[in-house]
Amino acid sequence: MVNDQIEPLAKPKAQNEPVVLKEKKLDTAQRLADEYGVGRESVKRAEKYAKGVDIADEIEPGAKEAILSGADCILKIK
């Protein structure tokens, strides 16, 4: 299905609210939020955190393991 074939039912009320489509299909963040019993915005924050951890590991190999293990360390950036 081409994106221009899907018509929104209404304009979003706020900048971060998803557009409600005729299909009324839940977005991935909402589906995960429902599955784990948390809010949609919590899922979105977790996504940003995970991306940040991945970027830190690209900059400094081993950072991901240190961050996710909860090790008390300060990474030196060269």
Side-chain angles (χ1 to χ4, degrees), residues 8 10 13 16 22-24 28 46 51 55-57 60 66:
K13 295 178 184 175
N16 295 328
K22 285 185 178 180
E23 298 173 353
K24 292 189 179 182
T28 303
K51 285 181 181 179
I55 291 169
D57 197 55
E60 183 67 36

Side-chain angles (χ1 to χ4, degrees), residues 1-69:
M1 178 180 287
V2 180
N3 285 342
D4 61 331
Q5 293 176 341
I6 300 173
E7 297 178 22
L9 291 176
K11 292 183 180 180
K13 295 178 184 175
Q15 180 179 357
N16 295 328
E17 288 184 23
V19 175
V20 178
L21 303 176
K22 285 185 178 180
E23 298 173 353
K24 292 189 179 182
K25 189 174 184 179
L26 293 178
D27 66 353
T28 303
Q30 186 61 56
R31 187 176 46 78
L32 289 170
D34 293 344
E35 182 178 336
Y36 290 99
V38 297
R40 180 182 183 279
E41 292 306 314
S42 294
V43 173
K44 299 301 278 184
R45 281 190 294 275
E47 174 190 21
K48 290 177 185 178
Y49 180 80
K51 285 181 181 179
V53 170
D54 289 341
I55 291 169
D57 197 55
E58 288 176 15
I59 295 169
E60 183 67 36
K64 186 178 204 172
E65 290 78 20
I67 293 168
L68 297 178
S69 71

